Amino acid sequence: MNCEKIIKLISDYIDKQIEETEKEIFEEHIKICKKCESILNTIEKTLFLSKSIYRNKKIPQKVEKSLYYQIKKIKIRYKK
Ligand SMILES: [Zn+2]
């Protein structure tokens, strides 16, 4: 699997919407690819931060939207 496919899978992976077989391939790739690893870390950190701010409260739609916008930006940045 190439980096582009991995990057597309990142949000599914974080949302745990990923298939078992894909998950294995994904995790194998993350181990060997520094670029994808850093993307995953950046996105996870962003999500973790916002989740810790809102704790058990539901993240407001506005915030969620901007979060996904940020993730999109990260993905685009690393696409090349
Ligand atoms: Zn990669």
Side-chain angles (χ1 to χ4, degrees):
M1 209 178 270
N2 60 30
C3 290
E4 208 174 310
K5 277 189 183 156
I6 293 294
I7 290 167
K8 273 187 193 151
L9 282 175
I10 285 181
S11 0
D12 288 348
Y13 179 79
I14 291 172
D15 290 340
K16 297 193 169 58
Q17 298 290 328
I18 196 167
E19 277 176 44
E20 207 49 49
T21 47
E22 276 180 334
K23 192 184 161 195
E24 272 174 38
I25 298 164
F26 182 90
E27 284 174 344
E28 278 305 306
H29 183 95
I30 295 294
K31 272 184 215 160
I32 53 159
C33 179
K34 284 274 164 241
K35 192 176 89 171
C36 289
E37 190 194 16
S38 77
I39 300 169
L40 179 67
N41 285 340
T42 312
I43 293 176
E44 274 188 328
K45 218 189 281 164
T46 312
L47 282 172
F48 180 78
L49 267 175
S50 65
K51 273 180 186 156
S52 65
I53 292 169
Y54 290 100
R55 293 178 188 269
N56 295 327
K57 278 183 274 173
K58 209 179 173 302
I59 300 173
Q61 221 181 5
K62 222 168 86 184
V63 179
E64 208 176 4
K65 257 190 189 162
S66 81
L67 222 84
Y68 277 95
Y69 178 70
Q70 278 182 48
I71 292 172
K72 228 175 155 184
K73 267 204 317 209
I74 293 167
K75 283 183 179 176
I76 290 164
R77 204 195 316 155
Y78 282 97
K79 223 170 177 178
K80 282 155 204 162

